[in-house]
Amino acid sequence: MEPKMIQILVLMCELIAIGSAYQQCNIICGDPPVPSHPTPRTFGNPIRGKAGPKGEKGEASESCECRTLMEEVREDIATIKTQLAKGDLYNGNFESEPLLFQSYNVPAKNFGIKNGNQAYIVSSAPRHFKLISPGLCGIPNSVSFKTESHPANYLRHSGYLLWLMPFEDSTLYKQDASFIPRHDLFYKGYTVFESVNIPGHYIRHANQRLQISNDDGSELLHKDSSFRHL
């Protein structure tokens, strides 16, 4: 499926979800008021307060019961978009748009390359990567990081360190370059990438160098191994 078609489907889902939430609001709170000014209301604002014997339509003392409902719909839509960008909801081959991968505990730094092919977190000249799913290993729900600037190059681990290396048609390369995303594993909104062929080892930064490390249960490792895409 083409990325544009996926975006269209996401927008359709948005409209359906918001329309459903808005209809539910009408059922719970009654017809929403017509704004007295040209600025449209947003779904995050109260639409109508609870009906009361002295309250007027849209001007009750308490805020609309559906405010939480609307916010939940918006959060769900954002989650779906994030999962689509990562390929989680795509049943088949998928390639994301170019993404930056931001560190949880060093937010000014993203995935980057130094010294030709060594993977680091960097504050300047970060690299954009496309996530492909399934990853090169072919395991469902796995991903591989393909660099935007050199499409035939992928991030792989070797000697527990991460490197940007040209594609090799070998089982070892494909496994070294494949990871299982664990979304919200340690922090909400952040993803941990687990090695396919060394289970329990996650991509993390240490002294800014990207590598895979065993989960020792420490808070530092949990922070170092959590990333989000931008």
Side-chain angles (χ1 to χ4, degrees), residues 107-119:
K109 298 190 176 185
N110 305 278
F111 279 18
I113 302 298
K114 289 185 175 182
N115 307 318
N117 66 348
Q118 299 176 4

Side-chain angles (χ1 to χ4, degrees), residues 5 16 37 42 44 69 90 94 110 115 172 176 181 195 213 221:
M5 182 59 68
I16 293 171
H37 49 79
T42 62
L69 174 63
Y90 189 79
F94 177 82
N110 305 278
N115 307 318
L172 179 60
D176 286 349
S195 169
S213 291
L221 181 133

Side-chain angles (χ1 to χ4, degrees), residues 19-39:
S20 176
Y22 192 73
Q23 184 179 35
Q24 184 68 16
C25 180
N26 289 346
I27 294 172
I28 295 173
C29 303
D31 294 332
V34 177
S36 59
H37 49 79
T39 303

